[in-house]
Amino acid sequence: MKKIISLLLVFTFGLSSCEKDDICDANTPTTPRLVIKFYSSADPSTPRSVTNLRVIGIGPGADPNGIVFNESGTTTTKYLANGNTISIPLKIDEDITGYKFILDSDDPNPDVTNSDIITFNYTRQTSYVSRACGFKTIFMLNEQTTEIPNTSGYIRTDDPDTGDGVWMKTLNLKTRNIELENETHLEILF
C-alpha cells in the first residue's frame, strides 16, 4: 500500500510541475503596421497599383535599403513593392516616424523616379498580450492640420534632397487608431 501511495504522490507532483507551452499563436494580434492603400486620383474609388515603390525610413538606425516587402526576392527586388496595398511599421520607442516613398525607384532613368516624404506623428499605448507574446504597441495618429489638404495627423513634403515634386495628390486618413492590420489606415491618391 505504501508503494502505491508513494507512486501516486510522485505522479501527482510530476503532473503539477508541467507547464503549458509558451508559444505565441501566429493569429494573435501583435504590434500592428500602418496599412496604406493606393487609389487613382482620376477616380478615387479605383485602386491603383504602385510600381517598384521603395519605402526608406528617415533618421538614425534606418535601413538605407528600405523596408523589406518580399523576403524571397533578390537583394534588390525584396525592397520593392508592387500592388495597391503596403504595410509599414511605426517606431515603438518614439512618437514620430518618417519615410521616403520613392515611386519607380528601380527605373534606370532618374527623371522617372519621384519621391515624397511622409512624417507620421502619433501617441503610443503599450498593452499586455500574453506571457508568450509579450506586449504590443497601439498607435493613435495625432490630429494635426497642416497647409496640405487631407493631411490630418501627418506631414507630407516633397524630397528636399532631390527637389522632386509631390507625386501623391491626396492623402486620406481612414482611421486614427492603428490597432489591427485588417483595415486600411491611410489612402493615397496619385
Side-chain angles (χ1 to χ4, degrees), residues 34-50 53 55 83-86 88 99 101 103 116-118 120 150-151 154 156 166-174 184-190:
L34 178 77
V35 178
I36 300 172
K37 192 156 188 174
F38 297 94
Y39 288 91
S40 168
S41 59
D43 181 8
S45 63
T46 304
R48 182 174 177 189
S49 293
V50 292
L53 177 69
V55 181
N84 64 2
T85 304
I86 63 170
I88 60 174
Y99 285 106
F101 292 76
L103 189 62
D116 282 352
I117 294 174
I118 301 179
F120 299 95
N150 299 316
T151 56
Y154 42 86
R156 177 182 62 143
V166 176
W167 64 270
M168 300 174 187
K169 304 295 183 214
T170 306
L171 303 167
N172 293 324
L173 183 63
K174 298 305 288 180
T184 301
H185 304 116
L186 178 66
E187 293 177 347
I188 297 177
L189 281 65
F190 73 103

Side-chain angles (χ1 to χ4, degrees), residues 14 22 35-36 44 52 61 65 70 76 81 87 98-99 103 107 114-115 119 130 140 148 151 154 159-160 171 181:
D22 281 342
V35 178
I36 300 172
N52 294 330
N65 293 312
N70 181 8
T76 303
S87 298
Y99 285 106
L103 189 62
D107 196 301
N114 200 341
S115 60
T119 304
S130 68
M140 179 174 282
I148 303 168
T151 56
Y154 42 86
D159 184 356
L171 303 167
E181 290 185 12

